[in-house]
Amino acid sequence: WGGGGGGAAAAPPAQPPAGPPPPAAGARAPPPGPQAARPDPATTAALPSAPLAGSKALRAAASAGDPAAEYETALRFLDGRGVPEKDPKVAAQWLERAAGRGLAPAQYRLGALYEKGVGVARDPLVAKAWYQRAADAGNARAMHNLAVLTAEGAGDKPDYAGAAQWFVKAAELGVRDSQ
C-alpha cells in the first residue's frame, strides 16, 4: 500500500501532549495559539467506524490504528482509488484519525479540507489550527498555508509579522510560492 501516500515530507511527528480531543468531522477545533492543545491520539479511537479501502493488509493496519494506513485510506477516498466513488466525508474521518495521532501530512490535508469546505463544513479557524500542528511538525506546505491564513486574518485580524515568519520557514524548505 505504499505507506505514506502522496503527502509532503515531514519530520517524524512528536508525541502530542495530552489535551482536549481533536475536532470531530464538521466540529470546531480550538482556536490556534498557545492555548490550542494538540489532539490526543487516544480520543480518536472513539470516532465512528469508517469504511475501509485497499488490500487486506491496508485494511487491517488502518483498523488497528496505524496512522500511515489511515492516511492512505483517506487518500483513496479523496481520489476515488479502489473505492466505488470519491467520498470526501469518509476521507475526512480517516484524516481525523491519522491527524489526531500526529501524522503531519494528514494534519496538513485535513487543514486543506477545512479551508475549502470539502467533506467537512468550511472553517478557516479549524483549518488554521490543523495547519499550525502540521507546520510545528515540519510540514513545509502547511507552513505556507498557515502563513496565508495568518496574513488574511482567518477568524482574527491579520498578523503580517507572524505570516512573514512562516513564509520564510516554508521558503527555506523549498516552497516556491513562499519565496
Side-chain angles (χ1 to χ4, degrees):
W1 51 274
Q15 280 293 71
R28 292 182 64 88
Q35 76 282 8
R38 294 182 188 274
D40 179 34
T43 62
T44 59
L47 290 174
S49 169
L52 293 164
S55 68
K56 186 176 182 179
L58 176 61
R59 292 191 310 268
S63 294
D66 179 298
E70 292 169 335
Y71 179 67
E72 176 63 23
T73 300
L75 294 180
R76 288 172 185 241
F77 279 102
L78 277 175
D79 300 337
R81 285 185 294 117
V83 295
E85 62 185 0
K86 291 182 181 183
D87 192 336
K89 288 183 182 182
V90 171
Q93 289 178 348
W94 283 109
L95 286 173
E96 289 273 358
R97 292 177 183 200
R101 287 180 172 80
L103 189 68
Q107 293 168 337
Y108 162 75
R109 293 297 291 261
L110 188 57
L113 293 185
Y114 276 105
E115 183 180 7
K116 297 172 184 146
V118 175
V120 294
R122 185 179 182 283
D123 192 328
L125 280 178
V126 175
K128 191 174 175 185
W130 282 115
Y131 285 149
Q132 179 75 55
R133 291 176 180 120
D136 288 344
N139 186 289
R141 294 184 337 191
M143 291 175 190
H144 173 81
N145 288 14
L146 177 59
V148 171
L149 290 182
T150 301
E152 291 174 348
D156 207 3
K157 60 182 180 179
D159 176 4
Y160 301 115
Q165 291 175 348
W166 283 114
F167 278 129
V168 167
K169 288 180 183 183
E172 288 172 349
L173 293 174
V175 178
R176 296 185 81 145
D177 289 343
S178 291
Q179 297 174 352

